[in-house]
Amino acid sequence: MEENKPPQDLSTSQHQKHGINFPLDLAIDILRRLPGKSLARSRCVSKQWETAIGDYIVKNSIVSRSLAQPPPDARHFIMDIRVKDRVHVFSYAYPHQITNENNQFYQEKIFGKSKDKAQFQYVRGLIGFGSPKHGKFTLHNPTTGQSVSLPDAGIPWRFYLFGYDPLRNQYKVACLTMSTIEPEKSCKVFTFGDPEKRWRKCSSGHHSPFEYLVCPSEPVCINGKIYYTAMEINGSGVIISFSVESERFNHVQAPEKICLHRGDVSLVNYQGKLGCIGRNDLNSEDIDVWVMENPEKQEWSKITHMAVLQGIPSSMISFAVTHPGGEIIIVPELYCEFASDVFYYNPNNNRRRRFVIQTPTSTQSYFRIWPVTDHVENIMSLL
């Protein structure tokens, strides 16, 4: 066990020549204060630094720090850019140049390509994406720039659920089929960090969600559970939860009188609770926000915000909620050309802000954006 003891000091060979040594506790305290990207680069200084950062500066502490101290007004987006030859280019975008208070150019970092559009999930600083028709599921870390593709799950016409288990500190990906032709291939799970690096059958076995036609909205992971929508054979919508820890599926009682498969209804993380946002049925300029206040009893509260959508085009829209600020984000659900309007509505002061998102992408392309509602730094290595 002696070889597993932490080093007593951190030093480089140059420092050793001059007799300069840093006590371990002091060095770690200094390293903890570095930004995530600087900390990731610091792992290359020496093996001692890599060990200290990897083993003693817990990766979760960086994420927790970012969640507790989010940068002010940080607007980050995932972009799906459809270029002229129908190839989809995926990029991570963040503010690059501010021309005025409402107009911003965004710097893009490309992290993937596909022949088809992809489904995205952002979980604790990591992006998970994959195509329903073909292609492997890929994880990308915007902080370190690393990407890794998981082995093919061997499931036809699939969709993915990407989530985090806070109890076991594990990231998992569930691959579900939209088809009922091969029920034995209905669900497989991949645990990131598993030394076997393989998909396995879902530990909970088959469950009634596979009796539905799965046409999910964007899944959302909250406190170790992934929520998504599905459709029964009779056409009515349901909400289903997947526990990342137990790998069990359960039905969630949806809010009354809401059509889950309307294009303007979104599941969101609302201040750590499951939320559902959509247009008001009586007035298309108002929005209804449903929040599950009691997960055990599955009781929902509802509030209607007046005139939030006033002046916003009636095209299909999608909602999200910033964390921890609580602003409601309104983005187009369709592909846009040249620029895209994004609106931020603050329920606390009843004010709405408009931003025009422009990218340096070629004008011969169309793009769609997904807002990152809880941008954090994560230095976890994917390699």
Side-chain angles (χ1 to χ4, degrees), residues 10 27-46 49-54 56-63 65-66 143-144 377-380:
L10 291 181
I28 288 181
D29 184 61
I30 294 173
L31 291 171
R32 284 185 189 277
R33 302 170 188 268
L34 293 178
K37 291 185 178 180
S38 298
L39 194 57
R41 289 194 294 266
S42 298
R43 301 167 85 167
C44 302
V45 172
S46 68
W49 283 49
E50 182 180 8
T51 299
I53 294 172
Y56 301 102
I57 301 181
V58 183
K59 301 177 181 68
N60 273 347
S61 69
I62 305 300
V63 177
R65 182 183 69 183
S66 296
T143 302
T144 64
E377 293 182 318
N378 188 332
I379 65 168
M380 185 178 77

Side-chain angles (χ1 to χ4, degrees), residues 9 50 76 105 109 214 236 265 278 321:
D9 58 76
E50 182 180 8
H76 292 242
F105 284 92
K109 288 189 175 180
V214 182
S236 60
V265 174
V321 176

Side-chain angles (χ1 to χ4, degrees), residues 285-287 303-310 326-328 344-353:
E285 294 184 348
D286 302 341
I287 61 173
I303 183 172
T304 298
H305 297 289
M306 313 293 288
V308 175
L309 303 179
Q310 186 176 33
E327 286 187 292
I328 297 174
Y344 283 73
Y345 171 73
N346 190 330
N348 297 323
N349 57 21
N350 196 31
R351 294 184 61 184
R352 193 183 75 184
R353 299 178 296 160

Side-chain angles (χ1 to χ4, degrees), residues 279-308:
R279 285 184 187 268
N280 182 274
D281 289 333
L282 300 179
N283 188 336
S284 61
E285 294 184 348
D286 302 341
I287 61 173
D288 293 329
V289 179
W290 297 82
V291 180
M292 181 174 284
E293 302 291 353
N294 189 326
E296 298 298 326
K297 297 182 180 180
Q298 297 192 4
E299 295 176 345
W300 296 80
S301 65
K302 176 189 175 184
I303 183 172
T304 298
H305 297 289
M306 313 293 288
V308 175

Side-chain angles (χ1 to χ4, degrees), residues 307-359:
V308 175
L309 303 179
Q310 186 176 33
I312 295 179
S314 59
S315 59
M316 306 287 277
I317 55 177
S318 180
F319 299 96
V321 176
T322 63
H323 178 81
E327 286 187 292
I328 297 174
I329 310 175
I330 308 167
V331 298
E333 195 182 45
L334 302 177
Y335 284 86
C336 304
E337 188 178 14
F338 304 122
S340 177
D341 290 341
V342 177
F343 296 87
Y344 283 73
Y345 171 73
N346 190 330
N348 297 323
N349 57 21
N350 196 31
R351 294 184 61 184
R352 193 183 75 184
R353 299 178 296 160
R354 171 179 174 266
F355 298 94
V356 180
I357 308 302
Q358 297 183 346
T359 76

